[in-house]
Amino acid sequence: MLDKNLTNSGLQTFYISKEESNCPLISEIIRIGKKLKENNMIENPEKTIMSLSYGKRLLINANNTNFVELKQKDFLEIVDFDPIKNVILTMGPKEPCIDTSVHWLINHSRNEVNAIIQVYDIRAGKLDKKYPITDKEYPSGTIEQAKEVLRLLRDSKIVILKNQGIVFVGSSVKEVEELLLKTLEELK
């Protein structure tokens, strides 16, 4: 039987299972979090989100998790998402974060995107001349925000979310990690 939950993000969430994910990609995300901690590069680890394609699913860290101290229990596998009904079908012990829907839409709209990192960093505005920036501050996790980010991703793998942070996309974990580290170094 499916477990149903209405999270604080407005997503109506149905759980196929509340068991921890055994996805082999979890270790890659944990490794990046540890690297960011070692180099003290991230301003707001509680609001950092990474997702990876895993077959037809999306592996993503859950709501209220500290990106630099992630554990296996902090991940969800998103099985499906209906943006019209705002319904998400997931596996994992925790609630999805508010930006899960945006990650799902980016991942499923762009075949070349297999990895996404979203960093909330108020310093991101310093990069508005170098990378495309959203035309306004959109509410997190909305279809409007996803559409604007997708529009800007046509010309860049890095998008500044006005007054919110930065989204990095890539075809691999390595590519998105390199983009992230290079950009965070620029913000120092």
Side-chain angles (χ1 to χ4, degrees), residues 8-35:
N8 58 8
S9 66
L11 288 172
Q12 189 173 12
T13 306
F14 291 91
Y15 291 86
I16 295 174
S17 166
K18 289 236 178 179
E19 292 180 22
E20 291 180 8
S21 172
N22 290 317
C23 176
L25 300 173
I26 289 174
S27 62
E28 287 295 305
I29 299 176
I30 291 173
R31 179 187 59 77
I32 292 171
K34 287 179 180 177
K35 189 173 192 175

PDB file of all heavy atoms in Angstrom, residues 8-35:
ATOM      1  N   ASN A   8       5.488  20.135   3.201  1.00  0.00           N
ATOM      2  CA  ASN A   8       5.381  21.582   3.327  1.00  0.00           C
ATOM      3  C   ASN A   8       5.649  22.297   2.013  1.00  0.00           C
ATOM      4  O   ASN A   8       5.390  23.473   1.883  1.00  0.00           O
ATOM      5  CB  ASN A   8       6.306  22.092   4.435  1.00  0.00           C
ATOM      6  CG  ASN A   8       7.755  21.709   4.193  1.00  0.00           C
ATOM      7  OD1 ASN A   8       8.122  21.186   3.139  1.00  0.00           O
ATOM      8  ND2 ASN A   8       8.585  21.954   5.192  1.00  0.00           N
ATOM      9  N   SER A   9       6.150  21.600   1.013  1.00  0.00           N
ATOM     10  CA  SER A   9       6.416  22.231  -0.278  1.00  0.00           C
ATOM     11  C   SER A   9       5.187  22.218  -1.171  1.00  0.00           C
ATOM     12  O   SER A   9       5.240  22.723  -2.284  1.00  0.00           O
ATOM     13  CB  SER A   9       7.567  21.503  -0.977  1.00  0.00           C
ATOM     14  OG  SER A   9       7.173  20.185  -1.298  1.00  0.00           O
ATOM     15  N   GLY A  10       4.089  21.661  -0.702  1.00  0.00           N
ATOM     16  CA  GLY A  10       2.888  21.603  -1.515  1.00  0.00           C
ATOM     17  C   GLY A  10       2.839  20.392  -2.425  1.00  0.00           C
ATOM     18  O   GLY A  10       1.830  20.154  -3.081  1.00  0.00           O
ATOM     19  N   LEU A  11       3.923  19.650  -2.473  1.00  0.00           N
ATOM     20  CA  LEU A  11       3.916  18.418  -3.260  1.00  0.00           C
ATOM     21  C   LEU A  11       3.078  17.375  -2.550  1.00  0.00           C
ATOM     22  O   LEU A  11       3.229  17.168  -1.351  1.00  0.00           O
ATOM     23  CB  LEU A  11       5.339  17.853  -3.402  1.00  0.00           C
ATOM     24  CG  LEU A  11       6.311  18.573  -4.307  1.00  0.00           C
ATOM     25  CD1 LEU A  11       7.707  17.976  -4.142  1.00  0.00           C
ATOM     26  CD2 LEU A  11       5.882  18.490  -5.742  1.00  0.00           C
ATOM     27  N   GLN A  12       2.211  16.744  -3.287  1.00  0.00           N
ATOM     28  CA  GLN A  12       1.497  15.620  -2.721  1.00  0.00           C
ATOM     29  C   GLN A  12       2.383  14.413  -3.004  1.00  0.00           C
ATOM     30  O   GLN A  12       2.644  14.077  -4.158  1.00  0.00           O
ATOM     31  CB  GLN A  12       0.123  15.461  -3.356  1.00  0.00           C
ATOM     32  CG  GLN A  12      -0.717  14.450  -2.638  1.00  0.00           C
ATOM     33  CD  GLN A  12      -2.135  14.414  -3.177  1.00  0.00           C
ATOM     34  OE1 GLN A  12      -2.445  14.981  -4.210  1.00  0.00           O
ATOM     35  NE2 GLN A  12      -3.006  13.727  -2.467  1.00  0.00           N
ATOM     36  N   THR A  13       2.877  13.788  -1.950  1.00  0.00           N
ATOM     37  CA  THR A  13       3.881  12.745  -2.074  1.00  0.00           C
ATOM     38  C   THR A  13       3.288  11.392  -1.734  1.00  0.00           C
ATOM     39  O   THR A  13       2.652  11.230  -0.691  1.00  0.00           O
ATOM     40  CB  THR A  13       5.077  13.031  -1.138  1.00  0.00           C
ATOM     41  OG1 THR A  13       5.556  14.350  -1.402  1.00  0.00           O
ATOM     42  CG2 THR A  13       6.187  12.036  -1.345  1.00  0.00           C
ATOM     43  N   PHE A  14       3.506  10.438  -2.623  1.00  0.00           N
ATOM     44  CA  PHE A  14       3.116   9.060  -2.384  1.00  0.00           C
ATOM     45  C   PHE A  14       4.384   8.225  -2.307  1.00  0.00           C
ATOM     46  O   PHE A  14       5.227   8.284  -3.213  1.00  0.00           O
ATOM     47  CB  PHE A  14       2.217   8.537  -3.510  1.00  0.00           C
ATOM     48  CG  PHE A  14       0.864   9.174  -3.529  1.00  0.00           C
ATOM     49  CD1 PHE A  14       0.641  10.325  -4.280  1.00  0.00           C
ATOM     50  CD2 PHE A  14      -0.179   8.641  -2.790  1.00  0.00           C
ATOM     51  CE1 PHE A  14      -0.612  10.930  -4.295  1.00  0.00           C
ATOM     52  CE2 PHE A  14      -1.429   9.243  -2.794  1.00  0.00           C
ATOM     53  CZ  PHE A  14      -1.646  10.382  -3.551  1.00  0.00           C
ATOM     54  N   TYR A  15       4.522   7.463  -1.234  1.00  0.00           N
ATOM     55  CA  TYR A  15       5.706   6.635  -1.030  1.00  0.00           C
ATOM     56  C   TYR A  15       5.414   5.197  -1.460  1.00  0.00           C
ATOM     57  O   TYR A  15       4.476   4.579  -0.956  1.00  0.00           O
ATOM     58  CB  TYR A  15       6.116   6.634   0.441  1.00  0.00           C
ATOM     59  CG  TYR A  15       6.640   7.966   0.905  1.00  0.00           C
ATOM     60  CD1 TYR A  15       5.773   8.960   1.364  1.00  0.00           C
ATOM     61  CD2 TYR A  15       7.995   8.238   0.870  1.00  0.00           C
ATOM     62  CE1 TYR A  15       6.257  10.189   1.773  1.00  0.00           C
ATOM     63  CE2 TYR A  15       8.485   9.469   1.290  1.00  0.00           C
ATOM     64  CZ  TYR A  15       7.622  10.436   1.735  1.00  0.00           C
ATOM     65  OH  TYR A  15       8.093  11.653   2.140  1.00  0.00           O
ATOM     66  N   ILE A  16       6.218   4.705  -2.378  1.00  0.00           N
ATOM     67  CA  ILE A  16       6.146   3.288  -2.746  1.00  0.00           C
ATOM     68  C   ILE A  16       6.737   2.472  -1.609  1.00  0.00           C
ATOM     69  O   ILE A  16       6.264   1.403  -1.273  1.00  0.00           O
ATOM     70  CB  ILE A  16       6.921   3.017  -4.052  1.00  0.00           C
ATOM     71  CG1 ILE A  16       6.249   3.742  -5.205  1.00  0.00           C
ATOM     72  CG2 ILE A  16       7.032   1.528  -4.334  1.00  0.00           C
ATOM     73  CD1 ILE A  16       7.018   3.661  -6.510  1.00  0.00           C
ATOM     74  N   SER A  17       7.812   3.020  -1.048  1.00  0.00           N
ATOM     75  CA  SER A  17       8.516   2.370   0.050  1.00  0.00           C
ATOM     76  C   SER A  17       9.223   3.448   0.861  1.00  0.00           C
ATOM     77  O   SER A  17       9.641   4.462   0.317  1.00  0.00           O
ATOM     78  CB  SER A  17       9.554   1.391  -0.511  1.00  0.00           C
ATOM     79  OG  SER A  17      10.458   0.995   0.486  1.00  0.00           O
ATOM     80  N   LYS A  18       9.366   3.224   2.142  1.00  0.00           N
ATOM     81  CA  LYS A  18      10.113   4.151   2.999  1.00  0.00           C
ATOM     82  C   LYS A  18      11.487   3.577   3.352  1.00  0.00           C
ATOM     83  O   LYS A  18      12.171   4.086   4.238  1.00  0.00           O
ATOM     84  CB  LYS A  18       9.313   4.465   4.258  1.00  0.00           C
ATOM     85  CG  LYS A  18       8.108   5.342   3.980  1.00  0.00           C
ATOM     86  CD  LYS A  18       8.175   6.562   4.832  1.00  0.00           C
ATOM     87  CE  LYS A  18       7.019   7.494   4.549  1.00  0.00           C
ATOM     88  NZ  LYS A  18       7.052   8.670   5.379  1.00  0.00           N
ATOM     89  N   GLU A  19      11.890   2.545   2.638  1.00  0.00           N
ATOM     90  CA  GLU A  19      13.211   1.954   2.870  1.00  0.00           C
ATOM     91  C   GLU A  19      14.289   2.851   2.279  1.00  0.00           C
ATOM     92  O   GLU A  19      14.060   3.576   1.317  1.00  0.00           O
ATOM     93  CB  GLU A  19      13.293   0.569   2.220  1.00  0.00           C
ATOM     94  CG  GLU A  19      12.400  -0.455   2.881  1.00  0.00           C
ATOM     95  CD  GLU A  19      12.496  -1.815   2.206  1.00  0.00           C
ATOM     96  OE1 GLU A  19      13.504  -2.091   1.532  1.00  0.00           O
ATOM     97  OE2 GLU A  19      11.555  -2.592   2.361  1.00  0.00           O
ATOM     98  N   GLU A  20      15.501   2.765   2.853  1.00  0.00           N
ATOM     99  CA  GLU A  20      16.634   3.513   2.329  1.00  0.00           C
ATOM    100  C   GLU A  20      16.993   3.017   0.935  1.00  0.00           C
ATOM    101  O   GLU A  20      16.912   1.824   0.649  1.00  0.00           O
ATOM    102  CB  GLU A  20      17.854   3.346   3.238  1.00  0.00           C
ATOM    103  CG  GLU A  20      17.714   4.017   4.575  1.00  0.00           C
ATOM    104  CD  GLU A  20      18.937   3.833   5.462  1.00  0.00           C
ATOM    105  OE1 GLU A  20      19.974   3.316   4.992  1.00  0.00           O
ATOM    106  OE2 GLU A  20      18.856   4.212   6.637  1.00  0.00           O
ATOM    107  N   SER A  21      17.430   3.934   0.098  1.00  0.00           N
ATOM    108  CA  SER A  21      17.863   3.601  -1.255  1.00  0.00           C
ATOM    109  C   SER A  21      19.206   2.875  -1.210  1.00  0.00           C
ATOM    110  O   SER A  21      20.063   3.180  -0.381  1.00  0.00           O
ATOM    111  CB  SER A  21      18.006   4.866  -2.102  1.00  0.00           C
ATOM    112  OG  SER A  21      18.593   4.569  -3.341  1.00  0.00           O
ATOM    113  N   ASN A  22      19.385   1.938  -2.112  1.00  0.00           N
ATOM    114  CA  ASN A  22      20.660   1.253  -2.276  1.00  0.00           C
ATOM    115  C   ASN A  22      21.329   1.649  -3.582  1.00  0.00           C
ATOM    116  O   ASN A  22      22.189   0.938  -4.088  1.00  0.00           O
ATOM    117  CB  ASN A  22      20.453  -0.269  -2.242  1.00  0.00           C
ATOM    118  CG  ASN A  22      20.080  -0.746  -0.861  1.00  0.00           C
ATOM    119  OD1 ASN A  22      20.655  -0.317   0.127  1.00  0.00           O
ATOM    120  ND2 ASN A  22      19.091  -1.617  -0.783  1.00  0.00           N
ATOM    121  N   CYS A  23      20.946   2.785  -4.136  1.00  0.00           N
ATOM    122  CA  CYS A  23      21.487   3.244  -5.405  1.00  0.00           C
ATOM    123  C   CYS A  23      23.009   3.387  -5.299  1.00  0.00           C
ATOM    124  O   CYS A  23      23.509   4.028  -4.371  1.00  0.00           O
ATOM    125  CB  CYS A  23      20.853   4.575  -5.792  1.00  0.00           C
ATOM    126  SG  CYS A  23      21.537   5.275  -7.299  1.00  0.00           S
ATOM    127  N   PRO A  24      23.741   2.817  -6.243  1.00  0.00           N
ATOM    128  CA  PRO A  24      25.210   2.908  -6.190  1.00  0.00           C
ATOM    129  C   PRO A  24      25.756   4.322  -6.409  1.00  0.00           C
ATOM    130  O   PRO A  24      26.928   4.573  -6.143  1.00  0.00           O
ATOM    131  CB  PRO A  24      25.658   1.965  -7.308  1.00  0.00           C
ATOM    132  CG  PRO A  24      24.490   1.843  -8.215  1.00  0.00           C
ATOM    133  CD  PRO A  24      23.266   2.025  -7.371  1.00  0.00           C
ATOM    134  N   LEU A  25      24.919   5.257  -6.856  1.00  0.00           N
ATOM    135  CA  LEU A  25      25.369   6.626  -7.101  1.00  0.00           C
ATOM    136  C   LEU A  25      25.408   7.485  -5.830  1.00  0.00           C
ATOM    137  O   LEU A  25      25.970   8.584  -5.837  1.00  0.00           O
ATOM    138  CB  LEU A  25      24.474   7.292  -8.141  1.00  0.00           C
ATOM    139  CG  LEU A  25      24.427   6.624  -9.514  1.00  0.00           C
ATOM    140  CD1 LEU A  25      23.383   7.290 -10.395  1.00  0.00           C
ATOM    141  CD2 LEU A  25      25.798   6.655 -10.166  1.00  0.00           C
ATOM    142  N   ILE A  26      24.830   6.992  -4.752  1.00  0.00           N
ATOM    143  CA  ILE A  26      24.801   7.749  -3.496  1.00  0.00           C
ATOM    144  C   ILE A  26      26.209   8.131  -3.062  1.00  0.00           C
ATOM    145  O   ILE A  26      26.463   9.258  -2.629  1.00  0.00           O
ATOM    146  CB  ILE A  26      24.062   6.962  -2.390  1.00  0.00           C
ATOM    147  CG1 ILE A  26      22.561   6.934  -2.695  1.00  0.00           C
ATOM    148  CG2 ILE A  26      24.332   7.553  -1.010  1.00  0.00           C
ATOM    149  CD1 ILE A  26      21.743   6.065  -1.759  1.00  0.00           C
ATOM    150  N   SER A  27      27.141   7.220  -3.211  1.00  0.00           N
ATOM    151  CA  SER A  27      28.521   7.484  -2.769  1.00  0.00           C
ATOM    152  C   SER A  27      29.145   8.661  -3.516  1.00  0.00           C
ATOM    153  O   SER A  27      29.972   9.388  -2.953  1.00  0.00           O
ATOM    154  CB  SER A  27      29.383   6.231  -2.926  1.00  0.00           C
ATOM    155  OG  SER A  27      29.443   5.848  -4.291  1.00  0.00           O
ATOM    156  N   GLU A  28      28.754   8.882  -4.767  1.00  0.00           N
ATOM    157  CA  GLU A  28      29.284  10.018  -5.540  1.00  0.00           C
ATOM    158  C   GLU A  28      28.823  11.347  -4.947  1.00  0.00           C
ATOM    159  O   GLU A  28      29.597  12.301  -4.855  1.00  0.00           O
ATOM    160  CB  GLU A  28      28.845   9.923  -7.002  1.00  0.00           C
ATOM    161  CG  GLU A  28      29.554   8.845  -7.776  1.00  0.00           C
ATOM    162  CD  GLU A  28      31.040   9.121  -7.913  1.00  0.00           C
ATOM    163  OE1 GLU A  28      31.411  10.201  -8.404  1.00  0.00           O
ATOM    164  OE2 GLU A  28      31.824   8.255  -7.498  1.00  0.00           O
ATOM    165  N   ILE A  29      27.571  11.421  -4.569  1.00  0.00           N
ATOM    166  CA  ILE A  29      27.046  12.658  -3.980  1.00  0.00           C
ATOM    167  C   ILE A  29      27.677  12.901  -2.617  1.00  0.00           C
ATOM    168  O   ILE A  29      28.090  14.019  -2.296  1.00  0.00           O
ATOM    169  CB  ILE A  29      25.504  12.624  -3.893  1.00  0.00           C
ATOM    170  CG1 ILE A  29      24.903  12.494  -5.295  1.00  0.00           C
ATOM    171  CG2 ILE A  29      24.982  13.880  -3.186  1.00  0.00           C
ATOM    172  CD1 ILE A  29      23.391  12.344  -5.325  1.00  0.00           C
ATOM    173  N   ILE A  30      27.795  11.857  -1.810  1.00  0.00           N
ATOM    174  CA  ILE A  30      28.423  11.979  -0.486  1.00  0.00           C
ATOM    175  C   ILE A  30      29.869  12.447  -0.639  1.00  0.00           C
ATOM    176  O   ILE A  30      30.339  13.307   0.114  1.00  0.00           O
ATOM    177  CB  ILE A  30      28.327  10.652   0.289  1.00  0.00           C
ATOM    178  CG1 ILE A  30      26.859  10.390   0.682  1.00  0.00           C
ATOM    179  CG2 ILE A  30      29.231  10.662   1.516  1.00  0.00           C
ATOM    180  CD1 ILE A  30      26.603   9.041   1.313  1.00  0.00           C
ATOM    181  N   ARG A  31      30.587  11.917  -1.627  1.00  0.00           N
ATOM    182  CA  ARG A  31      31.984  12.305  -1.873  1.00  0.00           C
ATOM    183  C   ARG A  31      32.090  13.805  -2.166  1.00  0.00           C
ATOM    184  O   ARG A  31      32.957  14.501  -1.637  1.00  0.00           O
ATOM    185  CB  ARG A  31      32.564  11.492  -3.033  1.00  0.00           C
ATOM    186  CG  ARG A  31      34.011  11.841  -3.380  1.00  0.00           C
ATOM    187  CD  ARG A  31      34.479  11.134  -4.632  1.00  0.00           C
ATOM    188  NE  ARG A  31      33.688  11.450  -5.807  1.00  0.00           N
ATOM    189  CZ  ARG A  31      33.786  12.591  -6.507  1.00  0.00           C
ATOM    190  NH1 ARG A  31      34.618  13.527  -6.137  1.00  0.00           N
ATOM    191  NH2 ARG A  31      33.036  12.787  -7.583  1.00  0.00           N
ATOM    192  N   ILE A  32      31.196  14.325  -3.015  1.00  0.00           N
ATOM    193  CA  ILE A  32      31.222  15.750  -3.350  1.00  0.00           C
ATOM    194  C   ILE A  32      30.933  16.597  -2.103  1.00  0.00           C
ATOM    195  O   ILE A  32      31.583  17.605  -1.857  1.00  0.00           O
ATOM    196  CB  ILE A  32      30.240  16.071  -4.490  1.00  0.00           C
ATOM    197  CG1 ILE A  32      30.740  15.432  -5.789  1.00  0.00           C
ATOM    198  CG2 ILE A  32      30.048  17.576  -4.662  1.00  0.00           C
ATOM    199  CD1 ILE A  32      29.774  15.490  -6.945  1.00  0.00           C
ATOM    200  N   GLY A  33      29.964  16.165  -1.308  1.00  0.00           N
ATOM    201  CA  GLY A  33      29.664  16.885  -0.060  1.00  0.00           C
ATOM    202  C   GLY A  33      30.869  16.958   0.860  1.00  0.00           C
ATOM    203  O   GLY A  33      31.183  18.019   1.416  1.00  0.00           O
ATOM    204  N   LYS A  34      31.581  15.846   1.010  1.00  0.00           N
ATOM    205  CA  LYS A  34      32.777  15.825   1.869  1.00  0.00           C
ATOM    206  C   LYS A  34      33.867  16.735   1.314  1.00  0.00           C
ATOM    207  O   LYS A  34      34.556  17.422   2.065  1.00  0.00           O
ATOM    208  CB  LYS A  34      33.298  14.395   2.007  1.00  0.00           C
ATOM    209  CG  LYS A  34      32.431  13.531   2.896  1.00  0.00           C
ATOM    210  CD  LYS A  34      32.964  12.122   2.999  1.00  0.00           C
ATOM    211  CE  LYS A  34      32.078  11.284   3.887  1.00  0.00           C
ATOM    212  NZ  LYS A  34      32.521   9.882   3.951  1.00  0.00           N
ATOM    213  N   LYS A  35      34.017  16.739  -0.002  1.00  0.00           N
ATOM    214  CA  LYS A  35      35.023  17.597  -0.638  1.00  0.00           C
ATOM    215  C   LYS A  35      34.714  19.069  -0.384  1.00  0.00           C
ATOM    216  O   LYS A  35      35.611  19.870  -0.090  1.00  0.00           O
ATOM    217  CB  LYS A  35      35.066  17.312  -2.136  1.00  0.00           C
ATOM    218  CG  LYS A  35      36.202  17.969  -2.865  1.00  0.00           C
ATOM    219  CD  LYS A  35      36.224  17.471  -4.303  1.00  0.00           C
ATOM    220  CE  LYS A  35      37.490  17.845  -5.004  1.00  0.00           C
ATOM    221  NZ  LYS A  35      37.556  17.262  -6.354  1.00  0.00           N
TER     222      LYS A  35
END
